[in-house]
Amino acid sequence: MRAPAPLLSLIEQGVIDVVARPLMSGKEARVYLVVAGGERYVAKIYKEAKDRTFKHRSEYTEGRRVRNTRDQRAIRKHSQYGRSKEEAAWRTAEVDAIYRLRDAGVRVPEPRAYVDNVLVMELVTDRLGNPAPRLADLSLPSPVSYT
């Protein structure tokens, strides 16, 4: 498979060796199955703001803060600088959450690298070694009530 443009620099840097195939595309990113050091991983390429299709964007960004007060003011004013800072904060939010959860002892896909808005992380598989389905695609049993 021909590697998508955002993954070419990761191949050149030796972060990944091969792009095997696309796994899925959603409202925020495109996900590919990649190989690095003989192991399979996923590479999540975050979409540009103009290419994302959020219906209720504020629900996804509510409560997010940046530390720098200059950046906060620029974001509130929706200046060009503010939009770029807001975009950077949006893209790193998931990566930061994964690292915080992992550090707290929660079992999450292990991040391998975050380079040029591409997150390379552990591939979660089923018992047969196939990429695990999305949680949204599963039918889970109802929780047991103890009342």
Side-chain angles (χ1 to χ4, degrees), residues 1 4 7 19-26 29-34 40-44 121-125 129-134 137:
M1 160 176 190
L7 297 181
V19 178
R21 66 182 175 91
L23 284 178
M24 66 181 59
S25 182
R30 295 174 306 175
V31 181
Y32 292 84
L33 179 64
V34 298
R40 297 183 312 159
Y41 294 91
V42 294
K44 185 172 187 178
M121 61 185 163
E122 175 185 9
L123 171 67
V124 177
T125 61
N130 299 313
R134 298 179 320 149
D137 296 335

Short mmCIF file of all heavy atoms in Angstrom, two decimals, residues 1 4 7 19-26 29-34 40-44 121-125 129-134 137:
data_model
loop_
_atom_site.label_atom_id
_atom_site.label_comp_id
_atom_site.label_asym_id
_atom_site.label_seq_id
_atom_site.Cartn_x
_atom_site.Cartn_y
_atom_site.Cartn_z
N MET A 1 0.84 -1.18 0.00
CA MET A 1 0.00 0.00 0.00
C MET A 1 0.88 1.24 0.00
O MET A 1 1.91 1.28 0.67
CB MET A 1 -0.89 -0.05 1.25
CG MET A 1 -1.43 1.28 1.60
SD MET A 1 -2.57 1.35 2.95
CE MET A 1 -3.05 3.02 2.68
N PRO A 4 0.07 7.15 3.13
CA PRO A 4 -0.49 8.50 3.09
C PRO A 4 0.59 9.53 3.44
O PRO A 4 1.52 9.22 4.21
CB PRO A 4 -1.58 8.48 4.16
CG PRO A 4 -1.77 7.06 4.53
CD PRO A 4 -0.55 6.32 4.13
N LEU A 7 2.21 9.98 6.89
CA LEU A 7 3.01 8.88 7.42
C LEU A 7 4.39 8.78 6.78
O LEU A 7 5.26 8.08 7.29
CB LEU A 7 2.27 7.54 7.27
CG LEU A 7 0.96 7.43 8.06
CD1 LEU A 7 0.34 6.06 7.85
CD2 LEU A 7 1.18 7.72 9.54
N VAL A 19 3.32 0.74 6.00
CA VAL A 19 1.89 0.96 6.19
C VAL A 19 1.20 -0.23 5.55
O VAL A 19 1.28 -0.42 4.34
CB VAL A 19 1.43 2.29 5.54
CG1 VAL A 19 -0.07 2.47 5.71
CG2 VAL A 19 2.18 3.46 6.12
N ALA A 20 0.54 -1.05 6.37
CA ALA A 20 -0.08 -2.29 5.87
C ALA A 20 -1.41 -2.02 5.17
O ALA A 20 -1.63 -2.45 4.05
CB ALA A 20 -0.27 -3.28 7.00
N ARG A 21 -2.31 -1.29 5.88
CA ARG A 21 -3.63 -1.04 5.31
C ARG A 21 -4.39 -0.05 6.18
O ARG A 21 -4.08 0.11 7.36
CB ARG A 21 -4.42 -2.32 5.18
CG ARG A 21 -4.79 -2.98 6.49
CD ARG A 21 -5.55 -4.29 6.25
NE ARG A 21 -5.81 -5.00 7.48
CZ ARG A 21 -6.90 -4.87 8.22
NH1 ARG A 21 -7.84 -4.02 7.87
NH2 ARG A 21 -7.06 -5.59 9.32
N PRO A 22 -5.42 0.57 5.61
CA PRO A 22 -6.29 1.42 6.44
C PRO A 22 -7.16 0.54 7.33
O PRO A 22 -7.56 -0.55 6.93
CB PRO A 22 -7.13 2.19 5.43
CG PRO A 22 -6.97 1.50 4.13
CD PRO A 22 -5.78 0.62 4.20
N LEU A 23 -7.44 1.00 8.53
CA LEU A 23 -8.35 0.30 9.43
C LEU A 23 -9.72 0.95 9.44
O LEU A 23 -10.74 0.29 9.36
CB LEU A 23 -7.80 0.24 10.86
CG LEU A 23 -6.69 -0.74 11.12
CD1 LEU A 23 -6.21 -0.64 12.57
CD2 LEU A 23 -7.15 -2.16 10.83
N MET A 24 -9.74 2.28 9.59
CA MET A 24 -11.01 3.01 9.60
C MET A 24 -10.78 4.50 9.51
O MET A 24 -9.67 4.98 9.70
CB MET A 24 -11.82 2.67 10.85
CG MET A 24 -11.19 3.14 12.14
SD MET A 24 -12.14 2.72 13.62
CE MET A 24 -12.20 0.96 13.49
N SER A 25 -11.85 5.19 9.23
CA SER A 25 -11.82 6.64 9.20
C SER A 25 -13.04 7.15 9.93
O SER A 25 -14.13 6.60 9.77
CB SER A 25 -11.82 7.15 7.75
OG SER A 25 -11.73 8.55 7.74
N GLY A 26 -12.85 8.13 10.76
CA GLY A 26 -13.96 8.68 11.53
C GLY A 26 -13.99 10.19 11.44
O GLY A 26 -13.33 10.79 10.60
N ALA A 29 -10.26 11.39 12.80
CA ALA A 29 -8.98 10.84 12.36
C ALA A 29 -9.16 9.70 11.38
O ALA A 29 -10.25 9.14 11.25
CB ALA A 29 -8.20 10.34 13.59
N ARG A 30 -8.04 9.38 10.71
CA ARG A 30 -7.94 8.18 9.88
C ARG A 30 -6.95 7.26 10.58
O ARG A 30 -5.90 7.71 11.04
CB ARG A 30 -7.44 8.52 8.49
CG ARG A 30 -8.41 9.39 7.70
CD ARG A 30 -7.82 9.81 6.40
NE ARG A 30 -6.51 10.44 6.68
CZ ARG A 30 -5.67 10.84 5.77
NH1 ARG A 30 -5.92 10.69 4.50
NH2 ARG A 30 -4.52 11.40 6.08
N VAL A 31 -7.27 5.97 10.64
CA VAL A 31 -6.44 5.03 11.38
C VAL A 31 -5.92 3.96 10.42
O VAL A 31 -6.68 3.40 9.64
CB VAL A 31 -7.24 4.37 12.53
CG1 VAL A 31 -6.37 3.41 13.31
CG2 VAL A 31 -7.82 5.44 13.45
N TYR A 32 -4.61 3.70 10.51
CA TYR A 32 -3.94 2.74 9.65
C TYR A 32 -3.24 1.67 10.48
O TYR A 32 -2.73 1.97 11.57
CB TYR A 32 -2.89 3.43 8.76
CG TYR A 32 -3.51 4.33 7.74
CD1 TYR A 32 -3.86 5.64 8.06
CD2 TYR A 32 -3.78 3.88 6.45
CE1 TYR A 32 -4.45 6.47 7.12
CE2 TYR A 32 -4.36 4.70 5.51
CZ TYR A 32 -4.70 5.99 5.85
OH TYR A 32 -5.30 6.81 4.92
N LEU A 33 -3.18 0.47 9.95
CA LEU A 33 -2.38 -0.59 10.52
C LEU A 33 -0.98 -0.43 9.96
O LEU A 33 -0.80 -0.34 8.75
CB LEU A 33 -2.96 -1.95 10.12
CG LEU A 33 -2.22 -3.18 10.62
CD1 LEU A 33 -2.26 -3.25 12.14
CD2 LEU A 33 -2.85 -4.43 10.03
N VAL A 34 0.02 -0.33 10.86
CA VAL A 34 1.40 -0.13 10.44
C VAL A 34 2.29 -1.17 11.12
O VAL A 34 1.89 -1.80 12.10
CB VAL A 34 1.90 1.30 10.77
CG1 VAL A 34 1.09 2.35 10.04
CG2 VAL A 34 1.90 1.56 12.27
N ARG A 40 3.06 -5.06 14.95
CA ARG A 40 1.95 -4.30 14.37
C ARG A 40 1.48 -3.23 15.36
O ARG A 40 1.37 -3.48 16.56
CB ARG A 40 0.78 -5.22 14.02
CG ARG A 40 1.14 -6.23 12.97
CD ARG A 40 -0.01 -7.11 12.55
NE ARG A 40 -0.73 -7.65 13.68
CZ ARG A 40 -1.98 -8.10 13.64
NH1 ARG A 40 -2.66 -8.07 12.52
NH2 ARG A 40 -2.56 -8.58 14.73
N TYR A 41 1.21 -2.05 14.81
CA TYR A 41 0.71 -0.91 15.59
C TYR A 41 -0.40 -0.24 14.79
O TYR A 41 -0.65 -0.60 13.64
CB TYR A 41 1.83 0.12 15.83
CG TYR A 41 2.94 -0.38 16.71
CD1 TYR A 41 4.05 -1.00 16.16
CD2 TYR A 41 2.87 -0.24 18.09
CE1 TYR A 41 5.07 -1.48 16.97
CE2 TYR A 41 3.89 -0.71 18.90
CZ TYR A 41 4.99 -1.33 18.33
OH TYR A 41 5.99 -1.80 19.13
N VAL A 42 -1.02 0.76 15.40
CA VAL A 42 -1.93 1.61 14.65
C VAL A 42 -1.34 3.01 14.59
O VAL A 42 -0.65 3.44 15.52
CB VAL A 42 -3.36 1.68 15.25
CG1 VAL A 42 -4.05 0.35 15.16
CG2 VAL A 42 -3.36 2.18 16.67
N ALA A 43 -1.58 3.68 13.49
CA ALA A 43 -1.18 5.08 13.33
C ALA A 43 -2.44 5.87 13.13
O ALA A 43 -3.20 5.63 12.18
CB ALA A 43 -0.24 5.24 12.14
N LYS A 44 -2.71 6.78 14.04
CA LYS A 44 -3.92 7.60 14.00
C LYS A 44 -3.53 8.99 13.51
O LYS A 44 -2.80 9.72 14.18
CB LYS A 44 -4.54 7.67 15.39
CG LYS A 44 -5.86 8.39 15.44
CD LYS A 44 -6.49 8.24 16.81
CE LYS A 44 -7.88 8.81 16.83
NZ LYS A 44 -8.53 8.63 18.12
N MET A 121 0.40 3.89 18.20
CA MET A 121 0.18 3.21 19.48
C MET A 121 -0.07 1.73 19.28
O MET A 121 -0.27 1.26 18.16
CB MET A 121 -0.97 3.85 20.24
CG MET A 121 -2.30 3.81 19.56
SD MET A 121 -3.51 4.74 20.54
CE MET A 121 -4.77 4.96 19.32
N GLU A 122 -0.07 1.03 20.38
CA GLU A 122 -0.28 -0.41 20.41
C GLU A 122 -1.58 -0.78 19.69
O GLU A 122 -2.58 -0.09 19.80
CB GLU A 122 -0.35 -0.84 21.87
CG GLU A 122 -0.69 -2.27 22.11
CD GLU A 122 -0.86 -2.58 23.59
OE1 GLU A 122 -0.88 -1.65 24.43
OE2 GLU A 122 -0.98 -3.77 23.91
N LEU A 123 -1.53 -1.87 18.97
CA LEU A 123 -2.72 -2.41 18.31
C LEU A 123 -3.43 -3.34 19.29
O LEU A 123 -2.82 -4.29 19.79
CB LEU A 123 -2.33 -3.18 17.05
CG LEU A 123 -3.44 -3.97 16.37
CD1 LEU A 123 -4.49 -3.04 15.79
CD2 LEU A 123 -2.85 -4.86 15.28
N VAL A 124 -4.67 -3.07 19.58
CA VAL A 124 -5.48 -3.94 20.43
C VAL A 124 -6.13 -4.98 19.53
O VAL A 124 -6.76 -4.63 18.53
CB VAL A 124 -6.55 -3.14 21.21
CG1 VAL A 124 -7.43 -4.06 22.05
CG2 VAL A 124 -5.89 -2.07 22.08
N THR A 125 -5.95 -6.26 19.87
CA THR A 125 -6.46 -7.33 19.03
C THR A 125 -7.42 -8.23 19.78
O THR A 125 -7.46 -8.24 21.02
CB THR A 125 -5.30 -8.21 18.50
OG1 THR A 125 -4.62 -8.79 19.61
CG2 THR A 125 -4.33 -7.40 17.67
N GLY A 129 -5.95 -12.41 17.00
CA GLY A 129 -4.93 -11.49 16.49
C GLY A 129 -5.45 -10.47 15.51
O GLY A 129 -4.68 -9.69 14.95
N ASN A 130 -6.77 -10.44 15.30
CA ASN A 130 -7.37 -9.44 14.42
C ASN A 130 -7.56 -8.14 15.18
O ASN A 130 -7.80 -8.16 16.39
CB ASN A 130 -8.74 -9.92 13.92
CG ASN A 130 -8.62 -11.20 13.12
OD1 ASN A 130 -7.77 -11.30 12.25
ND2 ASN A 130 -9.44 -12.17 13.43
N PRO A 131 -7.49 -7.00 14.50
CA PRO A 131 -7.75 -5.74 15.20
C PRO A 131 -9.11 -5.79 15.89
O PRO A 131 -10.10 -6.25 15.31
CB PRO A 131 -7.75 -4.70 14.07
CG PRO A 131 -6.87 -5.30 13.02
CD PRO A 131 -7.14 -6.79 13.09
N ALA A 132 -9.14 -5.41 17.15
CA ALA A 132 -10.37 -5.45 17.94
C ALA A 132 -11.41 -4.49 17.36
O ALA A 132 -11.05 -3.45 16.80
CB ALA A 132 -10.08 -5.08 19.39
N PRO A 133 -12.70 -4.83 17.48
CA PRO A 133 -13.74 -3.93 16.98
C PRO A 133 -13.85 -2.68 17.85
O PRO A 133 -13.40 -2.67 18.99
CB PRO A 133 -15.01 -4.78 17.07
CG PRO A 133 -14.73 -5.77 18.14
CD PRO A 133 -13.25 -6.05 18.07
N ARG A 134 -14.45 -1.67 17.29
CA ARG A 134 -14.74 -0.46 18.07
C ARG A 134 -15.77 -0.81 19.13
O ARG A 134 -16.63 -1.67 18.91
CB ARG A 134 -15.31 0.64 17.18
CG ARG A 134 -14.39 1.11 16.10
CD ARG A 134 -15.02 2.18 15.23
NE ARG A 134 -16.42 1.92 14.95
CZ ARG A 134 -17.35 2.85 14.76
NH1 ARG A 134 -17.03 4.12 14.80
NH2 ARG A 134 -18.59 2.54 14.50
N ASP A 137 -19.32 -0.79 18.10
CA ASP A 137 -19.79 -1.88 17.25
C ASP A 137 -20.08 -3.17 18.02
O ASP A 137 -20.45 -4.17 17.42
CB ASP A 137 -18.76 -2.17 16.15
CG ASP A 137 -18.59 -1.01 15.20
OD1 ASP A 137 -19.54 -0.20 15.08
OD2 ASP A 137 -17.51 -0.89 14.59
#
